[in-house]
């Protein structure tokens, strides 16, 4: 038996003994997702136990070094862990922008002191992070941002505004792009970290067409940021920002994989009914669902391959753009089909039976997928130039 085969058996045994039954059920709502942080309230004891057990094992960040809270797994071992967790439908023990975005950037650009200080807290779910990138007028053209940090010797004084800051009203810290040199558009931006409870930081939720408010406006009024809370070199924050964006787009593309539930056709049997062969009693919709299931399986295979290539250092820098675009379009299609398969019932907005209009609200929420983390148009431009090597306009 190979070492990896033995590792798989060990992981399988550990999961059976440590993953609570409640944590093997599909995620049904936002409160089923564990974000953790200073002000987090666990939904139940099972959610708390699952996080604590994975933290102790290093499985919230399995491929991070043990010195920073990870399990130090090889790429092959980390892949086996993902497969075994998927096999039992285990929920992620911790969802975190710190894990998905900031952590990889710190591993690449952070000082040893920053890695020791922040990464362990991220791995344990002690800090919930938000991302301060977009500004009014600086979305796709992010390098035009105007939030400014004035050098005051041992600290900066930051003034400005961010927009579309996900969960800013619930987060503990922010990783933020701040202009520190007004004379250089690209090499005048720095990547700063600071506490959201710092005096001068305020947030205002933005209500979306779905009726929910996962995004915020974030305001900085004379916010003091110590000099040691810069990641990377002064005025070279764009290097950190670009690296992090690749991981953000990979994260967003994960929506294309769905929530591990059965095929959409199987989910809709109850609402549409079956014909004599046990198939959905709607031939046109059945064909659309079959095509979607095939495309979803193809996307899953592509994502698995790209992940392996990125982990081994062989991936193309623009692969996250491909994943983000494909995953976004797939997720939007998924929710369009859910709406089509449930007819007028899916449009209901408020009743307990519809869980507060969950289907309609989730469908509306997907409209933002093709904007956040880089618009689909920008993704296609990057793919055209950097992968297909097409000439510019």
């Amino acid at each position: 038996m190979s070492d990896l085969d033995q590792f798989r058996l060990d992981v399988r045994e550990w999961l059976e003994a440590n993953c609570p039954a409640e944590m093997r059920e599909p995620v049904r709502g936002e409160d089923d997702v564990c974000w953790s942080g200073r002000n987090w309230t666990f939904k139940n004891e099972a959610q708390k136990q699952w996080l604590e057990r994975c933290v102790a094992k290093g499985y919230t960040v399995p491929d991070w070094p043990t010195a920073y809270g990870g399990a130090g797994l090889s790429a092959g071992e980390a892949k086996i862990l993902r497969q075994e967790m998927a096999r039992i439908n285990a929920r992620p023990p911790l969802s975190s922008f710190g894990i998905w975005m900031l952590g990889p950037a710190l591993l690449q650009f952070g000082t040893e002191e920053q890695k020791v200080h922040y990464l362990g807290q991220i791995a344990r779910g002690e800090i919930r992070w938000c991302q301060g990138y977009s500004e009014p007028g600086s979305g796709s053209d992010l390098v035009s941002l105007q939030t400014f940090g004035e050098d005051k010797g041992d600290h900066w004084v930051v003034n400005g505004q961010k927009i579309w800051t996900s969960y800013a009203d619930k987060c503990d810290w922010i990783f933020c792009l701040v202009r520190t040199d007004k004379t250089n558009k690209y090499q005048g931006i720095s990547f700063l970290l600071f506490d959201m409870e710092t005096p001068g930081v305020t947030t205002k939720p933005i209500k979306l067409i779905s009726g929910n408010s996962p995004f915020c406006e974030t305001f900085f009024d004379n916010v003091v940021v110590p000099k040691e809370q810069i990641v990377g070199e002064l005025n070279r924050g764009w290097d950190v920002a670009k690296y992090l964006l690749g991981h953000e787009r990979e994260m967003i593309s994960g929506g294309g994989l769905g929530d591990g539930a059965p095929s959409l056709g199987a989910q809709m049997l109850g609402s549409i009914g079956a014909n004599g062969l046990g198939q959905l009693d709607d031939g046109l919709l059945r064909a659309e669902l079959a095509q979607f299931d095939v495309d979803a399986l193809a996307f899953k295979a592509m994502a698995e391959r790209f992940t392996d290539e990125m982990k081994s250092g062989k991936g193309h820098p623009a692969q996250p753009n491909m994943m983000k675009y494909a995953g976004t379009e797939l997720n939007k299609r998924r929710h369009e089909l859910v709406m089509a398969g449930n007819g007028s019932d899916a449009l209901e907005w408020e009743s307990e039976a519809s869980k507060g209009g969950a289907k309609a609200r989730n469908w509306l929420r997907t409209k933002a997928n093709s904007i956040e983390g880089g618009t689909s148009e920008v993704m296609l431009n990057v793919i055209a130039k950097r992968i297909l090597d097409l000439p510019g306009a």
Side-chain angles (χ1 to χ4, degrees), residues 8 51 60 71 94-95 106 161 216 253 263 278 281 299 354 356 373 391:
R8 185 182 296 277
L51 174 60
T60 57
L94 178 62
S95 294
L106 283 172
Q161 177 187 356
C216 294
S253 75
S263 72
D281 198 17
F299 177 78
S354 69

Side-chain angles (χ1 to χ4, degrees), residues 63 75 78-79 82 250 253 257 299-315 319 323:
D63 54 356
K79 182 176 181 179
R82 292 195 302 270
E250 184 179 342
S253 75
L257 297 173
F299 177 78
K300 182 177 180 180
M302 181 190 78
E304 186 74 21
R305 190 189 77 188
F306 279 6
T307 298
D308 288 346
E309 290 176 348
M310 297 296 281
K311 295 288 186 185
S312 65
K314 298 178 181 178
Q319 281 180 342
M323 290 179 64

Side-chain angles (χ1 to χ4, degrees), residues 114 118 173 191-195 225-231:
Q114 288 173 336
Y118 292 111
W173 279 63
F191 192 99
L192 306 184
L193 313 176
F194 51 95
D195 195 314
V225 181
K227 283 288 182 71
E228 63 267 20
Q229 290 170 203
I230 183 174
V231 178

Side-chain angles (χ1 to χ4, degrees), residues 150-204:
E150 184 179 359
D151 193 331
K152 292 293 186 178
D154 64 347
H155 65 275
W156 289 282
V157 175
V158 177
N159 285 279
Q161 177 187 356
K162 298 294 180 179
I163 199 166
W164 310 121
T165 318
S166 299
Y167 305 111
D169 55 335
K170 297 178 174 64
C171 287
D172 307 314
W173 279 63
I174 187 170
F175 47 95
C176 190
L177 292 183
V178 175
R179 186 163 297 285
T180 44
D181 183 351
K182 293 183 178 180
T183 66
N184 193 319
K185 184 175 183 179
Y186 287 93
Q187 294 189 3
I189 296 170
S190 295
F191 192 99
L192 306 184
L193 313 176
F194 51 95
D195 195 314
M196 292 292 283
E197 292 185 355
T198 305
V201 179
T202 55
T203 62
K204 180 182 178 182

